[in-house]
């Protein structure tokens, strides 16, 4: 039984998974269907958390839109996620950045990782 589930999940995985970490600023190109048309909308923000494994892996991105914090959770291997582009690499020391929800302005920024 376990082998059957594993084989089905392996078929659903994407070949090329983008490499990004928690704290990075990313652009997520998501497909949106409106009636019979389909378009791509960009959602840019900071990655708050990554969780799950295999085809169930998800990541949460947070951005500020007109002074209101907006968070979206995206499945990593979804066909609705066209691509994920890393804008800036962030320097963080923890796996989940939930503390950013309470902060506003400059305090809500993540330091950039200099390589």
């Amino acid at each position: 039984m376990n082998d059957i589930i594993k084989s089905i999940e392996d078929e659903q995985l994407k070949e090329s998974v983008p490499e990004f970490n928690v704290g990075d600023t990313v652009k997520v190109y998501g497909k949106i269907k409106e009636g019979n048309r389909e378009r791509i909308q960009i959602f840019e923000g900071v990655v708050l958390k990554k969780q799950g494994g295999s085809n169930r892996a998800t990541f949460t991105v947070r951005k500020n839109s007109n002074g209101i914090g907006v968070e979206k959770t995206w499945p990593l291997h979804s066909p609705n996620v066209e691509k994920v582009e890393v804008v800036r690499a962030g320097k963080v020391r923890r796996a989940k950045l939930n503390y950013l929800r309470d902060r506003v302005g400059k305090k809500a920024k993540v330091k950039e990782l200099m390589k």
Side-chain angles (χ1 to χ4, degrees):
M1 182 68 179
N2 199 8
D3 296 332
I4 297 169
I5 294 172
K6 180 111 176 87
S7 65
I8 293 171
E9 287 179 350
D10 289 342
E11 292 171 8
Q12 297 173 348
L13 295 176
K14 283 186 178 178
E15 290 82 29
S16 62
V17 179
E19 187 63 38
F20 61 92
N21 295 313
V22 174
D24 293 354
T25 303
V26 294
K27 284 184 183 179
V28 182
Y29 292 79
K31 290 183 186 174
I32 293 180
K33 287 188 178 177
E34 295 173 333
N36 56 357
R37 296 183 328 170
E38 191 174 278
R39 65 184 177 88
I40 293 178
Q41 188 173 31
I42 300 173
F43 190 88
E44 182 175 352
V46 177
V47 178
L48 286 188
K49 61 184 175 180
K50 289 173 74 173
Q51 59 188 15
S54 132
N55 69 332
R56 296 185 209 96
T58 61
F59 62 100
T60 302
V61 180
R62 181 180 178 87
K63 76 173 183 177
N64 241 358
S65 179
N66 298 326
I68 299 171
V70 179
E71 289 183 15
K72 262 190 171 180
T73 302
W74 302 87
L76 190 60
H77 295 281
S78 171
N80 290 333
V81 176
E82 186 71 26
K83 67 177 178 174
V84 179
E85 184 179 297
V86 178
V87 179
R88 293 177 17 174
K91 181 183 177 188
V92 293
R93 296 174 65 173
R94 51 190 67 228
K96 306 253 190 305
L97 304 180
N98 294 327
Y99 64 89
L100 289 179
R101 294 175 177 157
D102 302 329
R103 301 194 177 177
V104 180
K106 282 189 177 180
K107 290 184 264 181
K109 279 184 142 183
V110 175
K111 289 184 179 177
E112 189 168 358
L113 181 66
M114 300 293 177
K115 289 188 178 181

